[in-house]
Amino acid sequence: MSDDIVMHLSSNSNPADPSLPSKLAKLEARMVGKSSSSPAIQSGWQPVPSVKYEGVEDFQASSLSSDSDDDNGGEYLIQPNIQKRQRVLEGDHAPMHSAGSMDGKIKATEAMESRISPDDSNKRRQGRGRGRLATSRGRGMKASDLMRSAPSAASTSNGNIEMASQKEEVSLLHGRIATLEEELGKFRQEAFDHVNLSRQLEKELKDIKEHDQQMKKKLIKVLSDLLISVSRAERQEARMKIRQENSRLGNVTVIRTGTMITEVWEDGQVFKDINAQLKSLMEAKEATERARKLLKKRQSDKGDGSDSSDPDILLLDDVYKSQLASIKREEDNLLRERERCELEKGRLIREMKRVRDEDGSRFNNFQILNHRYALLNLLGKGGFSEVFKAYDLMEYRYVACKLHGVNAQWSEEKKQSYIRHAVREYNIHKTLVHRHIVRLWDIFEIDQNTFCTVLEYCSGKDLDAVLKATPVLTEKEARIVIVQIFQGLVYLNKRSQKIIHYDLKPGNVLFDEVGIAKLTDFGLSKIVEDDVGSRGMELTSQGAGTYWYLPPECFELSKTPLISSKVDVWSAGVLLYQMLFGRRPFGHDQTQERILREDTIINARKVEFPSKPSVSNEAKDLIRRCLTYNQADRPDVLTITQDPYISYWKK
Ligand SMILES: Nc1ncnc2c1ncn2[C@@H]1O[C@H](COP(=O)(O)OP(=O)(O)OP(=O)(O)O)[C@@H](O)[C@H]1O
């Protein structure tokens, strides 16, 4: 039996359709009442070969179509079924009457329905059922017409058996339909439940999202409150420490001379104590030297040299000598202690300046910038900027917020030039991603005169602070730092767009919490354009930079200097020298102005090394190569980094 038949029956099994029971009743009545007097049986039935009666579908069609002409055509209705029955008995399996095959069809239909939505399948089933019904009727009409013209040859008993089997089959189908409808109902209920569940889940998701948002807000509030209270505590501690150090190391006092008020530094107790001890040592030294002189005089006054072996005199002389040696030792200790205190004093002065700058900053009250960066304490103040430690509330990490202030008094032209400069720096810096280069995360405007760049936070000191605290590093430490600096420079020179840093100095080398060195401040950097030849690019910002660290070509006045990565090689050489010897190779004690006036760098033809501390020849050779006076002879970044002293990590 085809799917269509199942559909057809299913559509007719609808209790709302009363026609099926009446049709069945009619069918039964015909079979019972008319079969014995059937003329077809009397005259003998002749099969009609041209009529195709294959399966129930056709039987259904003919039986359904026959309900309108039961008076004259009923006797023929069973004929095709006898024929079919004969075929079945003969082994023709084409028509699918058996319950087994019905079952198979129904199962296939169910399987199909399970793959499509119950509603859809139901609709389709009903639609197809109706369509097939109309078609079957059409075909049924033709069949019955033909049958009317054909003589019937079936016996009554055969007809009864056939009818009984049809009835059974119909009731079976009714049962099936009822099961299917029941299942359909279940599917519908399930679908309804799923829709409800998905609505409920959607609502729950929305609630969770809202809750998440609220929690996030709370978290940010708790986090920033916590950060603020830690920062407040740090501020208090810093000020308390300064007060303690002030009495020990010194403080700023105000001196009034007429109408002029000047601030001067007054040393603290530790310096007074050391100086007093040095003074008394000096006095003791002088007294001992005086006594020794007297002894010598007594010896020479006698003139006969007889006392030269006088044990008393010999002993006294040794006592004086030993006393002088002891005084010298103490003096040396005190001088070393004073030097150490001087370094502490320097640190205190910088910290006092930082705190003063922090108190004077308009950003000192823990603002949250750009709804994201919680400003904490001031790290330091540069020429036109303040750098604050901050916390990124979105990425959950510390950052350094550099606040660039454009002076409101500046002319519009100067403001624009400054902003252009900063944006240029940002555009260069933001593309740099390397372990030895400070990352630039973000830039945004705060108000008309202020904008902020957000940098990777380096919690260690910068190299300038390190060298102020410990002017001479061991060679091993110095080498580790310079190797990292060169690695950063190699990165800048291996990009498709090469960059000259141009402002390498201790203040622009930062350290993170685990001591990794990173280059920062690309404010004076130059992008080396593709068309620049091997001789270098024009230096358009002559005069900028820190002169102790710049090579001779940057001071060329007769023509526009041509520069290359060799500028950074020179600066790195100066840095290595300074780390090893505690001073810069050229113009160490000179001011920037004096370096220019006296052409210090223009005359820096040969580098000299102090005898102390002792440094390896490899280090000295590298410094000499970096500080090659003639730019043409000086190696560039990629060449100098082949030096074994720098490439030692490859061993
Ligand atoms: N990314 C950072 N992480 C931690 N500290 C930083 C960071 N950037 C700068 N600082 C610190 O902030 C202070 C000021 O930095 P800034 O670069 O403004 O100073 P500068 O180099 O002295 O000034 P200028 O750029 O005007 O020469 C310095 O002490 C520096 O160590």
Side-chain angles (χ1 to χ4, degrees):
M1 183 185 283
S2 71
D3 286 352
D4 295 330
I5 295 299
V6 177
M7 302 289 180
H8 172 76
L9 289 171
S10 151
S11 71
N12 280 317
S13 73
N14 190 338
D17 179 0
S19 63
L20 186 59
S22 71
K23 281 170 195 168
L24 291 171
K26 275 181 192 173
L27 191 63
E28 282 160 11
R30 274 182 205 149
M31 285 188 293
V32 171
K34 295 192 179 178
S35 58
S36 61
S37 60
S38 168
I41 292 172
Q42 284 162 4
S43 60
W45 176 70
Q46 295 296 310
V48 183
S50 61
V51 179
K52 189 172 163 245
Y53 289 117
E54 286 189 354
V56 172
E57 189 176 349
D58 288 342
F59 161 75
Q60 280 290 352
S62 61
S63 68
L64 288 172
S65 62
S66 71
D67 62 355
S68 60
D69 38 50
D70 48 339
D71 291 336
N72 52 7
E75 59 268 49
Y76 300 116
L77 286 175
I78 58 170
Q79 296 307 323
N81 292 314
I82 295 165
Q83 198 182 19
K84 266 183 264 158
R85 192 173 177 79
Q86 281 168 344
R87 272 198 229 126
V88 169
L89 289 172
E90 283 160 21
D92 181 357
H93 299 295
M96 296 295 156
H97 276 206
S98 73
S101 70
M102 176 80 77
D103 242 16
K105 287 288 172 186
I106 288 168
K107 274 185 188 142
T109 311
E110 283 172 354
M112 244 176 61
E113 281 176 356
S114 71
R115 267 179 265 130
I116 53 175
S117 84
D119 276 342
D120 281 353
S121 96
N122 197 39
K123 272 184 218 155
R124 249 182 277 147
R125 197 185 319 173
Q126 284 177 0
R128 270 202 284 161
R130 276 195 294 273
R132 179 58 71 179
L133 180 66
T135 322
S136 302
R137 272 203 180 122
R139 278 197 268 157
M141 285 297 283
K142 269 188 243 157
S144 68
D145 287 350
L146 284 166
M147 278 190 296
R148 257 179 248 127
S149 65
S152 172
S155 72
T156 309
S157 63
N158 273 355
N160 284 341
I161 293 165
E162 183 66 26
M163 276 319 285
S165 116
Q166 296 294 338
K167 265 181 164 182
E168 202 177 311
E169 205 169 288
V170 168
S171 77
L172 256 172
L173 286 174
H174 277 311
R176 272 289 158 208
I177 288 161
T179 318
L180 283 174
E181 277 179 348
E182 196 181 310
E183 277 173 18
L184 183 65
K186 272 189 212 157
F187 286 143
R188 281 197 180 129
Q189 183 59 43
E190 268 176 36
F192 180 72
D193 291 348
H194 282 139
V195 169
N196 274 349
L197 185 68
S198 93
R199 277 196 196 127
Q200 195 183 328
L201 287 174
E202 267 170 25
K203 191 180 170 305
E204 273 175 33
L205 186 68
K206 197 171 153 239
D207 290 350
I208 287 170
K209 274 186 184 163
E210 270 170 21
H211 180 73
D212 191 46
Q213 276 299 320
Q214 280 173 0
M215 288 306 287
K216 221 171 195 170
K217 270 188 200 157
K218 271 189 195 164
L219 176 76
I220 286 177
K221 176 87 179 79
V222 169
L223 198 59
S224 48
D225 284 353
L226 207 66
L227 288 162
I228 289 170
S229 55
V230 170
S231 301
R232 278 191 205 285
E234 282 173 358
R235 283 189 192 184
Q236 270 181 5
E237 197 186 321
R239 281 149 187 80
M240 205 174 72
K241 214 167 169 188
I242 287 176
R243 279 196 296 276
Q244 284 169 359
E245 300 287 62
N246 280 153
S247 56
R248 195 171 75 88
L249 296 167
N251 202 352
V252 174
T253 54
V254 177
I255 293 182
R256 195 186 285 265
T257 358
T259 53
M260 282 264 288
I261 293 174
T262 37
E263 283 187 335
V264 288
W265 179 260
E266 193 181 309
D267 278 339
Q269 197 55 45
V270 71
F271 288 103
K272 286 177 187 156
D273 291 347
I274 291 172
N275 289 342
Q277 284 179 58
L278 281 171
K279 196 174 165 215
S280 72
L281 279 179
M282 195 61 77
E283 283 165 5
K285 187 176 159 189
E286 280 169 9
T288 315
E289 279 172 347
R290 258 199 317 274
R292 201 170 164 223
K293 252 188 207 161
L294 268 174
L295 189 69
K296 290 252 162 88
K297 194 164 183 299
R298 241 174 63 198
Q299 231 177 330
S300 61
D301 283 350
K302 285 195 175 174
D304 56 359
S306 56
D307 282 349
S308 60
S309 56
D310 184 339
D312 272 358
I313 289 179
L314 281 176
L315 178 64
L316 265 180
D317 193 41
D318 277 353
V319 167
Y320 294 151
K321 273 202 268 182
S322 161
Q323 171 70 351
L324 284 172
S326 157
I327 290 169
K328 173 90 176 72
R329 224 178 18 253
E330 263 190 73
E331 194 182 28
D332 283 350
N333 283 347
L334 282 171
L335 287 175
R336 265 201 300 277
E337 174 70 6
R338 194 164 73 179
E339 216 171 283
R340 208 177 49 75
C341 289
E342 284 292 348
L343 292 176
E344 279 189 58
K345 183 173 103 181
R347 203 163 50 228
L348 173 66
I349 292 171
R350 281 196 301 281
E351 178 64 352
M352 286 170 70
K353 181 179 174 309
R354 187 195 67 79
V355 165
R356 189 189 279 196
D357 288 338
E358 187 173 76
D359 290 341
S361 170
R362 69 183 174 105
F363 294 102
N364 68 5
N365 51 350
F366 305 108
Q367 287 113 307
I368 293 183
L369 298 182
N370 219 22
H371 312 290
R372 176 168 179 178
Y373 304 106
L375 287 189
L376 305 172
N377 294 335
L378 182 77
L379 292 167
K381 191 172 172 173
F384 303 107
S385 60
E386 290 176 354
V387 181
F388 273 83
K389 182 177 175 179
Y391 193 82
D392 182 345
L393 295 165
M394 280 192 189
E395 291 289 335
Y396 303 114
R397 66 181 170 205
Y398 284 106
V399 291
C401 281
K402 190 165 182 171
L403 303 156
H404 305 254
V406 181
N407 193 326
Q409 313 302 318
W410 285 354
S411 69
E412 203 47 42
E413 197 186 336
K414 193 170 176 183
K415 275 186 199 171
Q416 288 311 318
S417 152
Y418 182 82
I419 291 169
R420 234 189 354 262
H421 198 260
V423 169
R424 200 183 133 275
E425 174 183 357
Y426 169 74
N427 284 332
I428 294 177
H429 197 164
K430 75 174 178 195
T431 62
L432 306 177
V433 182
H434 189 262
R435 190 168 45 157
H436 297 299
I437 300 205
V438 170
R439 277 300 299 274
L440 178 64
W441 303 117
D442 199 1
I443 185 169
F444 57 91
E445 193 181 291
I446 294 172
D447 58 40
Q448 250 196 334
N449 295 318
T450 325
F451 65 97
C452 173
T453 45
V454 181
L455 298 151
E456 174 185 357
Y457 174 60
C458 296
S459 63
K461 291 177 190 152
D462 58 50
L463 186 57
D464 186 47
V466 170
L467 293 177
K468 277 186 174 127
T470 324
V472 177
L473 303 185
T474 65
E475 187 172 339
K476 197 169 178 188
E477 282 177 291
R479 190 179 180 190
I480 288 166
V481 174
I482 205 69
V483 164
Q484 296 181 80
I485 291 173
F486 271 118
Q487 284 196 1
L489 291 178
V490 166
Y491 169 73
L492 296 182
N493 284 276
K494 276 197 170 165
R495 292 158 37 96
S496 56
Q497 208 178 33
K498 294 185 178 56
I499 289 169
I500 305 171
H501 186 285
Y502 200 83
D503 199 14
L504 269 189
K505 57 180 183 179
N508 288 338
V509 179
L510 307 182
F511 294 96
D512 70 7
E513 75 276 16
V514 290
I516 304 230
K518 289 165 190 274
L519 305 181
T520 191
D521 201 345
F522 288 79
L524 296 178
S525 297
K526 327 278 173 218
I527 296 173
V528 183
E529 302 299 344
D530 292 342
D531 55 357
V532 166
S534 58
R535 292 186 58 235
M537 61 184 284
E538 286 194 357
L539 174 61
T540 49
S541 60
Q542 205 176 9
T546 312
Y547 302 155
W548 292 294
Y549 302 92
L550 286 177
E553 62 265 25
C554 296
F555 296 85
E556 175 80 63
L557 290 177
S558 57
K559 57 183 190 316
T560 307
L562 293 173
I563 58 155
S564 67
S565 73
K566 294 175 180 185
V567 171
D568 292 337
V569 172
W570 176 284
S571 310
V574 176
L575 282 177
L576 180 57
Y577 186 105
Q578 189 177 351
M579 287 190 279
L580 291 171
F581 299 105
R583 52 186 291 113
R584 303 165 190 112
F586 308 111
H588 177 70
D589 299 314
Q590 294 176 358
T591 60
Q592 298 280 287
E593 184 270 328
R594 199 173 142 204
I595 289 175
L596 267 192
R597 190 160 30 89
E598 296 187 6
D599 286 339
T600 306
I601 309 295
I602 289 191
N603 295 321
R605 292 190 174 269
K606 192 163 180 278
V607 58
E608 305 284 351
F609 296 103
S611 57
K612 270 188 179 172
S614 117
V615 162
S616 71
N617 286 331
E618 288 86 349
K620 286 182 188 167
D621 281 347
L622 177 68
I623 292 171
R624 275 193 206 96
R625 290 183 73 202
C626 291
L627 301 182
T628 303
Y629 185 83
N630 195 341
Q631 187 191 181
D633 300 332
R634 194 183 317 137
D636 62 15
V637 167
L638 297 182
T639 310
I640 197 85
T641 43
Q642 302 300 316
D643 192 296
Y645 195 78
I646 301 172
S647 55
Y648 82 107
W649 68 88
K650 287 181 186 158
K651 282 181 191 167

